[in-house]
């Protein structure tokens, strides 16, 4: 039996999330990262903490990020801390990809990061309460040839 290629090349979608984007006068923030095309099959999701999120002036004691889609905010990665003291700069955090109904994308779909702060709001609606932090979020996927 010979070998044959199934599907397409593994593709990577990345987004950079800076602490300056988290300005909501709320303890939650939803950030649209990128769009996956119709027929995408998600094989992995992870994030790299470039600089842990930090707050030295207010009462934010933790920030967690989940990766998912509208309707299932943790479809690809469950909520994980990216806050200083818990997360380490230069570290990759991964979670087993949830083999849910959101693994195969039936139409172009935005991937979102849902951020949650503990202790205080992210900001006042215009400015952030955080002092530092950069996280790179990544989804690896294939596109089914029948969807092209």
């Amino acid at each position: 039996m010979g070998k044959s290629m199934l599907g397409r090349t593994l593709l990577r979608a990345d987004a950079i999330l800076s602490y300056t984007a988290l300005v909501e006068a709320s303890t939650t923030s939803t950030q649209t990262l990128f769009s996956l095309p119709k027929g995408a099959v998600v094989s992995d999701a992870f994030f790299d903490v470039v600089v842990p999120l930090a707050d030295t002036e207010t009462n934010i004691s933790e920030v967690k990020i989940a990766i998912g889609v509208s309707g299932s905010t943790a479809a690809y990665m469950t909520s994980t801390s990216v806050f200083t003291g818990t997360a380490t700069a230069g570290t990759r955090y991964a979670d087993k990809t949830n083999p849910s109904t959101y693994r195969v994308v039936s139409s172009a779909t935005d991937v979102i990061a849902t951020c949650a702060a503990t202790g205080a709001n992210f900001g006042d609606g215009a400015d952030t309460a955080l002092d530092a932090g950069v996280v790179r979020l990544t989804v690896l996927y294939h596109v089914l040839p029948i969807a092209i």
Side-chain angles (χ1 to χ4, degrees), residues 8-146:
R8 300 277 184 195
T9 305
L10 184 64
L11 301 169
R12 177 181 179 139
D14 290 303
I16 300 294
L17 179 62
S18 171
Y19 76 99
T20 58
L22 303 174
V23 298
E24 288 79 5
S26 171
T27 57
T28 60
S29 174
T30 300
Q31 302 289 319
T32 300
L33 303 175
F34 41 77
S35 185
L36 293 176
K38 175 182 177 181
V41 179
V42 175
S43 58
D44 198 6
F46 54 89
F47 59 79
D48 297 300
V49 176
V50 180
V51 177
L53 295 177
D55 175 23
T56 59
E57 299 166 358
T58 61
N59 295 319
I60 297 176
S61 58
E62 183 173 46
V63 177
K64 291 185 174 184
I65 296 178
I67 304 173
V69 296
S70 179
S72 183
T73 58
Y76 304 138
M77 186 167 173
T78 57
S79 187
T80 304
S81 181
V82 293
F83 202 71
T84 189
T86 304
T88 305
T91 302
R92 174 167 291 169
Y93 294 85
D95 187 19
K96 180 180 177 185
T97 300
N98 183 1
S100 71
T101 56
Y102 298 98
R103 187 165 179 245
V104 178
V105 178
S106 60
S107 62
T109 301
D110 287 337
V111 174
I112 59 173
T114 302
C115 307
T118 301
N121 290 340
F122 279 115
D124 60 12
D127 295 310
T128 184
L130 295 168
D131 301 312
V134 176
V135 179
R136 182 178 59 237
L137 301 104
T138 303
V139 172
L140 302 177
Y141 64 97
H142 299 278
V143 177
L144 294 172
I146 58 173

Side-chain angles (χ1 to χ4, degrees), residues 1-7:
M1 180 179 278
K3 294 180 181 179
S4 64
M5 186 170 137
L6 297 174

